[in-house]
Amino acid sequence: MSTSTASHESADGVTIPGGRVAAGAGARRPFDVAAIRRDFPILRRQVEGKPLVYLDSAATSQRPVQVLAELTRFYRDHNANVHRGVHTLSVEATELYEGVREKVRALIGGASAREVIFTRGTTESINLVAHGWARARLAPGDEVVISEIEHHSNIVPWQMLRDERGIALRVIPMRSDGTLDLDVARELIGPRTRLLAITHVSNALGTVVPVRELADLAHEAGALVLVDGAQSVPHMPVDVTELGADFLAFSAHKMLGPTGVGVLWGRMEVLESMQPFMGGGDMILTVSLERSTWNEIPHRFEAGTPNFADVVAFGTAIDYLRALGLDAVRRHELDLVDHGLAVLGDVPGVTVHGPREAERRGGVFSFSLEGVHPHDVGQTLSSEGVAVRAGHHCAQPVMQSLGVAATTRASVYLYSTRPELDALAAGLRMTARFFGDAGP
Ligand code: PLP
């Protein structure tokens, strides 16, 4: 690698506007939220003449200047297509791109960087398992087990496969507090189960699912386990071995990285046994007009030009998270969950859905305000500068189970603060007064 690239990826970090991100695994920055917020220029924006209060990180996170700078620097200094080139830029770009596999491996405790496949996001990662693993193996009589609190991206691919292959889909039900009914799970997971596809943290309720317990049941039954880590990997330490996962899917855009990048991690021997999902350049070893042979993993699953620039910037997002420490991120968010439950609980007419105990929740508050439609809540809060989401959150079965059409959802991340949750509560009191006065 050229000198410029070597300094670009120096072992002790990179100096860029907004500070130094230590690249080493053991490095820790103190968890200073005020300092962290300075890395996120968008958080200094005004909305409707008020300071932005961004409480929509479960949909997508904001990005620190370090990630923005890395993206620009890649295009400015190293841009070339990866893998095929012998010229210097292509070699540099390939090394930067491939280096991020190792960062992902270290983040989630995988055995090898070759187990890391880059996709467009969690959705594509789950579809890759459905097409590359399940489709070739599952037949009538086989069962896939999911839960009632899944995101649509972990429901629809399995319904499509069910309809194509004649398999059965079994659903672990949700209890009224947003947790899963593990007694029913024990009955559902059995000899016919081939795959348990389960979320780690619900995006619609914040519920943290006891994945390990369920994974043990699945493995005892001889099934594999796919974990949707879209809402856990960005927010807490996740280790694929501790989790008992055979596959783990997540998205860069929810963890400080660019859009259009996701990860499917899979256990080596499972990936080795899988067929490609898409055909094209890079995923082959040989092509003749009669037949083709497949490349090694992970390239077998990355047909065509990958999203290399965004992957490189994703590497900086991982550095940023690891420099803070995911355990510290989780502690910070647990404090916010405690505070949020307390201040929202004090607002008359607000019902917060999901588990009561903070430690069983991620940083998501899904709530209803009596007598006011969630879209009206969201719009009124927006006029106060508070960004939340209103709708079904791509989890319509959760809404059906709660008996509502939609909820309002506020979600926090490492840059969120207690005063922001106070602003949310104040905005909700104002909303309740406004619609109360306007009512009949
Ligand atoms: N799974 C969960 C739990 C999610 O929260 C999301 C996104 O909101 C997804 C899957 C889908 O992620 P993406 O849209 O990045 O593919």
Side-chain angles (χ1 to χ4, degrees):
M1 187 174 285
S2 76
T3 328
S4 80
T5 308
S7 68
H8 181 121
E9 280 221 302
S10 67
D12 62 347
V14 285
T15 305
I16 39 186
R20 204 172 170 78
V21 179
R28 287 288 184 273
R29 286 194 337 171
F31 205 92
D32 173 350
V33 183
I36 290 170
R37 288 178 72 84
R38 285 196 287 278
D39 290 336
F40 293 80
I42 203 167
L43 299 180
R44 296 197 281 278
R45 257 203 71 165
Q46 300 270 308
V47 170
E48 307 276 353
K50 317 229 166 59
L52 169 68
V53 174
Y54 186 75
L55 294 175
D56 197 17
S57 290
T60 199
S61 73
Q62 297 301 346
R63 282 72 165 164
V65 283
Q66 290 86 344
V67 171
L68 306 179
E70 185 70 3
L71 197 54
T72 309
R73 184 173 31 226
F74 177 83
Y75 281 123
R76 196 190 55 205
D77 297 341
H78 305 289
N79 182 52
N81 207 337
V82 291
H83 295 151
R84 288 168 285 247
V86 290
H87 62 82
T88 302
L89 290 188
S90 179
V91 171
E92 287 175 5
T94 302
E95 288 188 12
L96 288 167
Y97 174 73
E98 291 298 327
V100 182
R101 276 192 226 280
E102 171 53 27
K103 293 183 184 192
V104 173
R105 185 212 63 76
L107 178 74
I108 59 172
S112 160
R114 291 180 57 224
E115 297 176 327
V116 173
I117 299 161
F118 291 119
T119 63
R120 279 191 307 133
T122 307
T123 305
E124 189 176 299
S125 299
I126 294 171
N127 276 274
L128 174 50
V129 177
H131 288 272
W133 183 82
R135 197 181 198 186
R137 284 172 179 73
L138 305 197
D142 289 335
E143 296 181 358
V144 171
V145 176
I146 61 170
S147 86
E148 197 171 358
I149 63 172
E150 300 307 314
H151 187 281
H152 294 165
S153 63
N154 200 27
I155 300 175
V156 181
W158 307 117
Q159 290 175 337
M160 292 164 83
L161 196 76
R162 176 200 60 194
D163 296 345
E164 185 190 317
R165 305 291 302 143
I167 61 167
L169 198 53
R170 299 273 178 252
V171 183
I172 304 170
M174 156 189 154
R175 296 186 291 209
S176 59
D177 66 352
T179 59
L180 295 185
D181 191 328
L182 298 188
D183 291 335
V184 178
R186 279 182 209 101
E187 285 163 22
L188 284 182
I189 299 171
R192 289 171 180 268
T193 311
R194 300 292 308 279
L195 181 73
L196 168 70
I198 191 87
T199 193
H200 193 183
V201 174
S202 151
N203 68 304
L205 294 165
T207 313
V208 178
V209 173
V211 167
R212 181 56 195 251
E213 215 175 313
L214 293 168
D216 286 347
L217 290 173
H219 286 146
E220 276 162 32
L224 293 193
V225 176
L226 159 64
V227 180
D228 173 351
Q231 298 292 347
S232 62
V233 175
H235 299 278
M236 58 185 69
V238 171
D239 180 286
V240 287
T241 309
E242 282 174 21
L243 210 53
D246 298 293
F247 297 108
L248 177 68
F250 52 100
S251 299
H253 72 95
K254 294 184 195 288
M255 49 191 293
L256 313 180
T259 49
V261 176
V263 169
L264 177 68
W265 170 87
R267 255 193 320 113
M268 182 82 86
E269 54 272 37
V270 182
L271 292 179
E272 293 280 17
S273 73
M274 276 168 55
Q275 290 300 306
F277 168 28
M278 288 199 292
D282 240 22
M283 51 73 70
I284 46 78
L285 275 185
T286 61
V287 177
S288 72
L289 289 178
E290 286 72 41
R291 60 184 298 273
S292 307
T293 58
W294 309 145
N295 204 341
E296 313 219 301
I297 62 164
H299 308 294
R300 189 187 302 169
F301 303 108
E302 292 180 5
T305 298
N307 187 0
F308 48 81
D310 288 312
V311 166
V312 172
F314 177 40
T316 302
I318 296 173
D319 291 343
Y320 193 99
L321 286 168
R322 297 196 76 211
L324 284 175
L326 268 302
D327 44 356
V329 172
R330 174 68 176 152
R331 272 199 304 279
H332 174 66
E333 290 189 18
L334 275 176
D335 175 66
L336 294 174
V337 171
D338 257 340
H339 187 69
L341 289 176
V343 295
L344 289 175
D346 278 349
V347 181
V350 166
T351 305
V352 181
H353 306 290
R356 304 275 161 274
E357 311 83 5
E359 61 281 2
R360 298 180 82 176
R361 304 182 69 109
V364 169
F365 307 94
S366 203
F367 57 87
S368 305
L369 177 60
E370 202 182 337
V372 189
H373 192 280
H375 285 106
D376 292 331
V377 176
Q379 269 174 2
T380 314
L381 289 173
S382 181
S383 70
E384 292 298 298
V386 180
V388 296
R389 186 150 290 248
H392 53 59
H393 318 297
C394 292
Q396 287 188 26
V398 171
M399 301 299 121
Q400 283 151 17
S401 177
L402 293 174
V404 298
T407 67
T408 310
R409 184 186 74 184
S411 50
V412 297
Y413 202 12
L414 44 81
Y415 38 67
S416 306
T417 63
R418 283 181 167 224
E420 288 187 305
L421 292 170
D422 296 339
L424 168 68
L428 286 171
R429 286 177 200 278
M430 198 206 76
T431 309
R433 273 198 307 276
F434 178 77
F435 282 91
D437 290 348

